[in-house]
């Protein structure tokens, strides 16, 4: 009854479409439209960051100091550049998917696939950010750059994935 009255209650027995119908009065099509809109808003944030990082990395190879990098630093640069480009591709991927399936009534599949692209893109963005910081820090603090990069990797992974997953598990257990 809690879900139907809008009160906080035992609504965990409802699947997503039933919950959306009961709490929001949404059809499955309306929910898919809302989910796609939410996904696009999230992707806009991530795309901006990855595009700035990618542009910075592309330009770095054409600076005079690039020739001074060690072989290991150039390897980190190349891996970071590829991670950044792949992340950008994944985060932009839902746009290409949408254009390809436009007016084919595949919004639910678009949202599900876009979600997978976004998660993969975020994982690669995390790695690219860590690689970029490691590369820059290696010029300043030498071997300590690895410790700094590992700390950032742990922080980003915690903020982006661990905390939400803990909340998700707790919600499932509390239900």
């Amino acid at each position: 009854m809690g879900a139907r009255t809008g009160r906080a209650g035992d609504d965990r027995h409802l699947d997503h479409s039933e919950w959306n119908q009961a709490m929001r009065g949404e059809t499955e099509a309306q929910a898919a439209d809302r989910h796609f809109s939410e996904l696009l808003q999230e992707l806009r944030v991530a795309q901006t960051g990855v595009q700035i990082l990618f542009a910075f990395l592309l330009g770095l190879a054409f600076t005079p100091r690039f020739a001074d990098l060690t072989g290991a630093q150039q390897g980190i640069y190349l891996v970071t550049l590829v991670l950044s480009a792949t992340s950008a591709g994944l985060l932009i991927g839902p746009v290409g998917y949408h254009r390809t399936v436009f007016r084919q009534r595949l919004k639910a599949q678009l949202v599900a696939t876009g979600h997978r692209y976004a998660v993969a893109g975020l994982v690669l963005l995390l790695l690219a950010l860590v690689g970029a910081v490691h590369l820059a820090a290696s010029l300043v603090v030498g071997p300590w750059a690895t410790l700094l990069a590992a700390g950032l990797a742990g922080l980003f992974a915690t903020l982006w994935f661990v905390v939400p997953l803990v909340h998700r598990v707790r919600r499932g257990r509390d239900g």
Side-chain angles (χ1 to χ4, degrees):
M1 178 174 191
R4 305 222 184 271
T5 63
R7 291 187 357 244
D10 187 17
D11 59 3
R12 295 168 205 243
H13 66 281
L14 300 174
D15 71 16
H16 292 296
S17 61
E18 291 171 332
W19 188 91
N20 283 329
Q21 178 64 43
M23 297 301 289
R24 293 190 164 125
E26 279 183 334
T27 66
E28 287 188 43
Q30 290 168 326
D33 288 341
R34 181 177 50 81
H35 293 155
F36 184 58
S37 179
E38 291 170 353
L39 177 64
L40 288 178
Q41 292 300 324
E42 294 164 0
L43 290 173
R44 283 185 182 106
V45 172
Q47 285 173 348
T48 301
V50 74
Q51 288 169 347
I52 291 169
L53 176 61
F54 184 62
F56 166 76
L57 289 168
L58 279 176
L60 189 62
F62 300 101
T63 62
R65 188 147 184 216
F66 188 79
D68 297 337
L69 296 180
T70 66
Q73 289 170 323
Q74 288 182 356
I76 291 169
Y77 166 80
L78 184 59
V79 167
T80 302
L81 179 68
V82 170
L83 287 170
S84 179
T86 307
S87 176
L90 285 165
L91 294 172
I92 296 168
V95 174
Y97 190 111
H98 182 253
R99 288 294 90 210
T100 303
V101 301
F102 184 67
R103 293 187 177 180
Q104 299 299 308
R105 297 185 202 119
L106 293 172
K107 186 72 63 92
Q109 292 85 346
L110 166 63
V111 170
T113 302
H115 163 73
R116 289 183 193 98
Y117 287 2
V119 171
L122 287 173
V123 169
L124 296 183
L125 177 57
L126 182 153
L127 296 172
L129 287 169
V130 168
V133 168
H134 185 276
L135 179 61
S138 71
L139 298 171
V140 178
V141 296
W144 288 100
T146 302
L147 185 59
L148 176 61
L152 281 177
L155 176 65
F156 294 163
T158 299
L159 294 174
W160 296 1
F161 302 108
V162 174
V163 170
L165 287 172
V166 166
H167 290 167
R168 185 176 175 168
V169 167
R170 282 186 185 157
R171 175 168 169 73
R173 187 174 50 234
D174 292 345

